[in-house]
Amino acid sequence: MYVSHLTLHGYRSYDTLEVPLEAGVTSFVGRNGQGKTNIVEAVDYLSRLTSHRVASDTPLVKQGAEQAVIRAAVVKEGREALIEVEINPGRSNRARVNRSPLPRSRDLVGIVRTVLFSPEDLALVKGEPTDRRRFLDDLMVLRTPRMAGVKADYERVLRQRNALLKNAAADRRRGGDYFDSTLSVWNEQLVRLGAELTAFRAALVDDLVPLLAQAYAAVAKDGGRNEATLAYQPSVPAPSVEPVEPVEDVGAAGTGDAGGRPTREALERAFLGELDRRRPEEVQRGITLVGPHRDELGLAVGTLPVKGYASHGESWSFALAMRLASYDLLRADGDDPILILDDVFAELDTDRRERLAELVAGAEQVLVTAAVDADVPAALRGARVEVRRAEQP
């Protein structure tokens, strides 16, 4: 899979931009602030419908424009498709495939798969749990696009339940069973959706663990003295393991045997039991205290957690290994993802720079941004595009 042509209208710094691309490596080179990252960010946006740089779509639209349009010709197995998304801040985004509108913009997710490396990746190791949850969920949705709907539904129910808890005192003054009955309805939906998210995340981590260990060994080159590991840490205490059936759709996505994992029903019972146990505290604080939105991903090298113990270089090696493991996992599903290396080489020492370049050089398409040619390792020499604002001399 690769993008053969990219068109931008009203996106970030660009009124209009046309960029022909090809398989293999393409480097976008130019001084900071010229718009290099805007180009590769647009390609990545087609994959996940979110930006790796900002939380909302509003900054993606050029100042003074009403909307932004990203359009790409994508070649997959020799066949070309035209995909397009309109970004409309304050309104619903719209998506098309071969000029035909899709019912929902999120139906575009999964057509293009990308793995993006950026300086922000250090947050996977040193940042907050939300950064690691986002890492898992982005990968989960790329493998099984329908999970984008499950996640969106969970977040909607969570907002409604939090609103009810926040206004618990006022609701109780209404008399009757209004609060209890309404909370019960939201609990039922939260538990059903939350258990599904938990099951998918746990299965995903199981599949990432061996790939992460291999990637870390390749990047860190510490002689195998310390193995990198991941551990999914749900906020709901793990239920006892029962004989299980494979998690629906997880096996189809290549996540392996579900043996040894709790059943979906066991997860739901455990989640509901924890909600009941912590109900007084939730009512007092006005917020939902357990569920996938509170889960964590534990990272370790050897016997020590990465956060707080790893050196800067080890932290970078771990973050790179997480991205490389994602790439290997998606590739094992049957598609070569598009690799995007956004100004990442400037952050790495010479050894890690060369190791990373060698590991990704064989990808179907690699998009690199760099301030100067010298930042691009020899293993990734290919097509070069100079990026410079039109008003610059």
Side-chain angles (χ1 to χ4, degrees):
M1 176 189 296
Y2 65 95
V3 172
S4 62
H5 195 93
L6 178 69
T7 301
L8 304 179
H9 293 294
Y11 186 87
R12 289 283 196 179
S13 58
Y14 294 104
D15 289 319
T16 299
L17 180 70
E18 301 281 349
V19 184
L21 295 167
E22 55 190 42
V25 180
T26 299
S27 297
F28 298 93
V29 180
R31 298 195 309 268
N32 291 338
Q34 302 304 299
K36 306 182 301 295
T37 293
N38 296 345
I39 297 171
V40 296
E41 177 192 43
V43 175
D44 185 56
Y45 188 92
L46 292 173
S47 173
R48 302 179 292 115
L49 298 185
T50 61
S51 165
H52 71 289
R53 301 157 73 193
V54 292
S56 73
D57 285 346
T58 300
L60 305 181
V61 179
K62 183 176 173 63
Q63 188 173 8
E66 293 185 358
Q67 66 175 201
V69 176
I70 306 171
R71 185 181 302 117
V74 180
V75 178
K76 182 177 180 180
E77 298 178 351
R79 301 175 62 182
E80 186 173 277
L82 186 66
I83 64 175
E84 178 181 315
V85 61
E86 290 180 7
I87 302 172
N88 301 303
R91 296 175 289 128
S92 296
N93 293 344
R94 295 191 292 180
R96 299 181 182 87
V97 175
N98 293 329
R99 308 290 184 183
S100 298
L102 297 178
R104 299 164 302 188
S105 62
R106 73 173 184 233
D107 293 337
L108 196 69
V109 173
I111 296 177
V112 174
R113 289 178 165 189
T114 63
V115 174
L116 184 144
F117 298 72
S118 76
E120 289 81 5
D121 283 347
L122 204 56
L124 295 177
V125 175
K126 295 188 173 183
E128 299 302 316
T130 185
D131 296 306
R132 291 177 283 279
R133 288 194 294 267
R134 183 179 181 184
F135 165 80
L136 283 180
D137 290 343
D138 284 349
L139 185 55
M140 174 186 70
V141 167
L142 283 180
R143 299 190 82 198
T144 310
R146 77 166 187 85
M147 290 303 294
V150 174
K151 184 172 181 289
D153 288 344
Y154 177 85
E155 290 170 349
R156 174 184 55 81
V157 171
L158 179 63
R159 287 192 298 270
Q160 296 287 352
R161 188 177 188 273
N162 282 342
L164 180 67
L165 289 169
K166 187 175 181 180
N167 297 311
D171 291 335
R172 283 177 166 175
R173 285 196 295 269
R174 299 182 188 186
D177 298 325
Y178 175 81
F179 176 81
D180 291 339
S181 61
T182 307
L183 186 65
S184 178
V185 170
W186 292 127
N187 283 356
E188 180 182 344
Q189 295 184 50
L190 193 77
V191 162
R192 175 177 55 83
L193 296 164
E196 188 168 11
L197 277 176
T198 297
F200 266 78
R201 285 177 176 177
L204 180 59
V205 171
D206 284 350
D207 287 344
L208 279 172
V209 166
L211 299 175
L212 175 79
Q214 295 169 15
Y216 183 82
V219 173
K221 285 197 172 180
D222 65 353
R225 294 189 303 272
N226 296 300
E227 185 176 12
T229 59
L230 297 173
Y232 187 51
Q233 299 170 345
S235 58
V236 175
S240 58
V241 176
E242 305 171 4
V244 297
E245 297 296 330
V247 176
E248 180 185 357
D249 285 355
V250 171
T255 55
D257 185 7
R261 300 191 194 107
T263 62
R264 187 80 54 77
E265 292 76 15
L267 289 171
E268 291 181 5
R269 288 195 299 271
F271 193 176
L272 187 59
E274 189 67 3
L275 288 176
D276 288 342
R277 187 182 74 82
R278 301 194 67 177
R279 174 173 167 171
E281 186 182 359
E282 288 189 331
V283 170
Q284 181 182 20
R285 296 178 59 180
I287 194 169
T288 303
L289 297 174
V290 293
H293 63 291
R294 292 272 181 147
D295 293 353
E296 173 64 294
L297 182 62
L299 319 178
V301 174
T303 59
L304 295 175
V306 176
K307 191 172 183 179
Y309 287 89
S311 68
H312 184 73
E314 289 170 334
S315 296
W316 259 117
S317 292
F318 203 104
L320 293 174
M322 290 175 71
R323 293 300 186 193
L324 287 168
S326 302
Y327 170 73
D328 289 338
L329 191 60
L330 292 173
R331 195 177 189 185
D333 290 344
D335 288 332
D336 253 24
I338 298 167
L339 278 177
I340 300 173
L341 307 175
D342 180 24
D343 203 26
V344 71
F345 291 116
E347 302 288 331
L348 304 178
D349 59 41
T350 301
D351 286 345
R352 287 183 176 84
R353 181 184 299 187
E354 297 299 331
R355 290 172 204 158
L356 176 60
E358 291 169 2
L359 289 168
V360 304
E364 181 75 11
Q365 185 171 48
V366 184
L367 305 179
V368 181
T369 69
V372 294
D373 279 327
D375 284 345
V376 182
L380 292 177
R381 297 295 181 184
R384 180 185 183 280
V385 178
E386 183 178 356
V387 181
R388 185 173 63 180
R389 286 184 184 269
E391 65 270 19
Q392 296 290 325

